Amino acid sequence: MNLVDIGANLTHESFSDDLDEVVISAQAVGVSHIVITGTDQKSNEAALSLSKARPEVFSCTAGYHPHVAGSFDEDARIAVRALASEDKCIAIGETGLDFNRNLSSPKSQLEVFEEHLKLAVELGKPLFLHQRDAHPEFVALLRRYREQIAGGVVHCFTDKKQALEDYLALDMYIGVTGWVCDERRGTELQTLARLIPSDRLLIETDSPYLLPRTIRPRPKSRRNEPKHLIEVLHTLARCCGRPAEQLALETSENAKRLFGIRLG
Ligand SMILES: [Zn+2]
């Protein structure tokens, strides 16, 4: 298998001591490429330097997460633009709207999301998008720019059927995390998974967050890692009613198509 984890926060401090081992154990189960998520200036830079050091294993994104939209100023925009122009940076983001926690004001989130959309238009790269409790505002802005942007993924999709249909109507890709393995809050996603066309489905761990709850025996550490992408794959395969091997092939092809990733 040649799986692609399209979203892992490997610049998180929890990986600072053992990233090499994390990669080795991911590769051992068939995860051959990992897109490292950039969420602020520091992680954008770290993600790019990891990707340049190991281009066959890593690619990265560059952007400002809606949580930190309040700190996105003109200097930040210039810095993101420079990083995002690099070959190893394959998408603009993480960006979008998160009205669940409103760690930045909705107003600044909307402005910063639009700045990222403009960058995606200018650079011709796809978007890595985050949306929580903000579907109406999010889809309205996305719709306005859709014809000009190269495409993108709504990562960690956890929303309702209407949101899914709206994103698919805009021909966006849908990223599924270990949320689908959650027997409490993941049930709706488990039924919606079937509605995602096989050529629009992507899988991700969102490491170190969202450790799949179905892993047996339960891991000692609460930290999620790219190797657990296998658990997402298998759960999702059951939900979709397709063999895991087929889903592995489909999702990797999709990652290659959307992001232009080359697998060795
Ligand atoms: Zn996110």
Side-chain angles (χ1 to χ4, degrees):
M1 268 195 294
N2 260 332
L3 296 174
V4 181
D5 184 350
I6 66 117
N9 300 277
L10 295 188
T11 67
H12 189 272
E13 58 187 7
S14 62
F15 293 111
S16 53
D17 289 338
D18 64 345
L19 187 57
D20 285 347
E21 286 108 276
V22 166
V23 170
I24 290 167
S25 46
Q27 289 172 326
V29 295
V31 179
S32 55
H33 200 87
I34 303 165
V35 179
I36 306 176
T37 317
T39 56
D40 59 15
Q41 187 55 29
K42 205 171 147 221
S43 64
N44 291 337
E45 283 170 7
L48 182 63
S49 81
L50 285 169
S51 304
K52 282 181 165 175
R54 303 194 64 182
E56 73 292 352
V57 189
F58 298 135
S59 300
C60 65
T61 72
Y64 269 55
H65 193 283
H67 287 342
V68 295
S71 65
F72 187 86
D73 54 14
E74 181 57 13
D75 286 348
R77 197 190 66 80
I78 291 166
V80 167
R81 189 184 176 283
L83 294 169
S85 305
E86 301 256 358
D87 284 347
K88 281 310 289 176
C89 177
I90 47 97
I92 311 297
E94 181 164 357
T95 182
L97 301 174
D98 192 320
F99 295 169
N100 179 260
R101 293 168 69 191
N102 279 331
L103 296 184
S104 288
S105 74
K107 181 174 174 288
S108 72
Q109 291 188 43
L110 281 159
E111 287 167 7
V112 172
F113 179 26
E114 185 158 12
E115 287 301 322
H116 283 75
L117 288 162
K118 288 179 184 165
L119 269 179
V121 172
E122 184 196 342
L123 299 175
K125 291 195 178 179
L127 286 146
F128 186 92
L129 298 167
H130 172 110
Q131 185 278 115
R132 198 143 179 230
D133 293 352
H135 173 66
E137 294 87 349
F138 176 89
V139 79
L141 205 47
L142 188 58
R143 219 172 253 141
R144 249 204 289 140
Y145 283 86
R146 181 61 188 95
E147 298 226 324
Q148 298 162 261
I149 58 168
V153 55
V154 181
H155 112 100
C156 193
F157 180 83
T158 57
D159 210 325
K160 306 261 183 295
K161 188 176 179 205
Q162 185 60 54
L164 180 63
E165 287 174 347
D166 288 347
Y167 303 150
L168 292 173
L170 291 173
D171 201 20
M172 302 302 284
Y173 288 75
I174 307 296
V176 174
T177 59
W179 190 281
V180 76
C181 305
D182 193 314
E183 78 286 1
R184 307 157 306 173
R185 54 185 191 173
T187 50
E188 189 165 19
L189 180 57
Q190 287 164 6
T191 48
L192 291 180
R194 274 178 186 274
L195 305 179
I196 306 172
S198 57
D199 62 352
R200 285 296 174 270
L201 185 59
L202 294 167
I203 51 175
E204 49 175 330
T205 58
D206 207 22
S207 301
Y209 314 112
L210 299 176
L211 181 73
R213 289 172 56 86
T214 40
I215 301 172
R216 297 292 178 274
R218 280 179 202 267
K220 285 189 202 79
S221 165
R222 295 296 305 157
R223 182 185 74 172
N224 195 9
E225 302 180 23
K227 71 176 177 187
H228 296 314
L229 190 64
I230 286 291
E231 190 68 21
V232 177
L233 175 77
H234 284 278
T235 304
L236 192 57
R238 276 196 298 279
C239 297
C240 293
R242 299 202 288 284
E245 295 71 23
Q246 185 185 338
L247 219 68
L249 219 63
E250 292 166 356
T251 54
S252 295
E253 282 305 312
N254 294 342
K256 288 196 261 183
R257 188 185 323 112
L258 177 64
F259 298 124
I261 295 168
R262 278 187 295 269
L263 298 178

